[in-house]
Amino acid sequence: MAQAGLLGILIAFLGICLSSADGKPAPVLPAAAREFLEAHNLARAAVGVAPLKWSEKLGNGTNRVVRFQRNKMGCQFANLTSGKYGANQLWGSGMAVTPRMAVDAWVNEKTFYNHADNSCAPNHRCGVYKQVVWRKSLELGCAQATCVKQQVTLTVCFYDPPGNIIDSLTVCGTIICPVINGKPVRLCLQEGSQSSPLILLDLPLNTSAFSSLIKHGMIRMVFECKCDSAGSKEPLLSNPQWVMYCNGLKMGLARRRELSWKDEWLLEMTRTVSAGAGFLPDKGSGGHKYLRGQFEKVPGSGSDHSQAYHLIDPSDSFGQELSVFFLRH
């Protein structure tokens, strides 16, 4: 009797937990919604990202999209570029496409994606996979429609907040310090370890002066553009000359430089380093010390007049906080 009583209490307790505050049972998701959600969350769990939750609002939105595309557009891809949600689409022909098959097709891009530096292998795309596992996306809604005549299935998923936001991208930053005294320290920012530099600067500092600065811990590098009003129409990082300040002190003039074969060699030698410091021997120049890490572009800073990047340092490799600011007045 005691066991039966405990079992009854447990069943009653579970019944309470599965009911909402107003006494109504928790909604049961349709099979397709569960399949979409499970496939997404399996991919997210594989890279340590929190699971998504199903959104009826997003589900209804995608349902309206796929029905319109089916009824009016023959299941062609929808134009979703102006939407406020993140979106993935899949166009499948000649076979039935299940929700899991659609998500698996997006996740297949993982093969070409490098999580360490947020880059994609040359000649490949990784955007749909990145949206599936985007850390800041919290809710999901998906729908499918089939055009029988064309034997085509269109799958659309919405994500909120949206992923693949440019302002949230990280960039790879490398500071190169020549051992030979008098040679300028170089700063390089790249979208990925294999990308061409967004900017490559000769700083008005040699290695000795730079070493003295970083001993103090927190570093704030500010680069103020030396440009006229006509130059303000050009992309901010394309400006050739910058007045550099470090922790409020004016350092001098930093100059943009073209990528040389030696720069390419140095960046290639550090390409596999996601965060760290080291030394690259070079008989001709005595070698180079380097600091390398991932920098997060500050949300909202990607205007024509300012950009800001903060070092992401989960392993405390550098031992100090480092931020870089580019300004145009």
Side-chain angles (χ1 to χ4, degrees), residues 163-177:
N164 290 320
I165 302 301
I166 294 176
D167 276 346
S168 298
L169 287 179
T170 58
V171 301
C172 181
T174 309
I175 297 174
I176 300 170
C177 303

Side-chain angles (χ1 to χ4, degrees), residues 287-306:
H288 297 78
K289 298 177 182 179
Y290 68 86
L291 301 175
R292 188 169 172 90
Q294 303 302 305
F295 287 74
E296 183 175 12
K297 186 176 180 180
V298 178
S301 71
S303 71
D304 291 336
H305 299 285
S306 67

Side-chain angles (χ1 to χ4, degrees), residues 102-315:
V103 179
D104 286 348
W106 297 329
V107 174
N108 282 341
E109 287 188 353
K110 180 180 181 179
T111 304
F112 311 110
Y113 181 61
N114 186 335
H115 285 268
D117 64 4
N118 191 37
S119 66
C120 196
N123 303 317
H124 291 281
R125 295 178 179 271
C126 302
V128 293
Y129 168 68
K130 287 166 63 179
Q131 175 59 90
V132 169
V133 298
W134 196 264
R135 188 177 300 275
K136 293 183 180 179
S137 293
L138 303 176
E139 294 185 323
L140 171 73
C142 304
Q144 292 180 303
T146 299
C147 292
V148 178
K149 182 178 179 180
Q150 292 86 353
Q151 294 186 324
V152 169
T153 299
L154 177 66
T155 304
V156 176
C157 286
F158 283 168
Y159 306 81
D160 190 30
N164 290 320
I165 302 301
I166 294 176
D167 276 346
S168 298
L169 287 179
T170 58
V171 301
C172 181
T174 309
I175 297 174
I176 300 170
C177 303
V179 170
I180 296 179
N181 200 20
K183 294 285 186 178
V185 172
R186 275 161 274 175
L187 170 66
C188 179
L189 296 180
Q190 302 165 273
E191 287 187 344
S193 62
Q194 296 179 329
S195 304
S196 298
L198 295 169
I199 190 167
L200 176 61
L201 292 176
D202 278 335
L203 305 186
L205 298 168
N206 58 29
T207 299
S208 177
F210 181 74
S211 298
S212 297
L213 287 172
I214 65 175
K215 289 179 181 178
H216 299 293
M218 186 173 65
I219 302 295
R220 294 288 186 271
M221 294 184 187
V222 178
F223 296 92
E224 187 176 297
C225 172
K226 286 182 65 66
C227 53
D228 54 26
S229 57
S232 65
K233 297 179 181 179
E234 299 297 325
L236 177 60
L237 297 186
S238 68
N239 289 289
Q241 294 185 340
W242 306 79
V243 177
M244 178 185 176
Y245 299 84
C246 189
N247 293 347
L249 299 176
K250 187 175 181 179
M251 298 288 106
L253 197 63
R255 292 180 170 85
R256 186 183 178 98
R257 59 180 284 145
E258 295 299 320
L259 190 68
S260 68
W261 69 267
K262 179 58 70 70
D263 296 324
E264 290 182 346
W265 177 79
L266 290 168
L267 293 174
E268 176 61 25
M269 293 299 291
T270 59
R271 182 173 61 84
T272 59
V273 179
S274 59
F279 174 75
L280 296 173
D282 183 358
K283 293 181 180 180
S285 64
H288 297 78
K289 298 177 182 179
Y290 68 86
L291 301 175
R292 188 169 172 90
Q294 303 302 305
F295 287 74
E296 183 175 12
K297 186 176 180 180
V298 178
S301 71
S303 71
D304 291 336
H305 299 285
S306 67
Q307 291 186 25
Y309 301 87
H310 293 321
L311 177 66
I312 302 170
D313 189 15
S315 61

Side-chain angles (χ1 to χ4, degrees), residues 1-14:
M1 292 294 293
Q3 289 181 343
L6 289 174
L7 182 60
I9 293 172
L10 178 60
I11 293 173
F13 176 73
L14 290 175

Side-chain angles (χ1 to χ4, degrees), residues 67-81:
R67 282 189 298 166
F68 177 84
Q69 296 302 115
R70 178 193 63 195
N71 297 338
K72 303 293 185 180
M73 306 299 292
C75 287
Q76 296 178 21
F77 275 130
N79 182 1
L80 303 174
T81 55

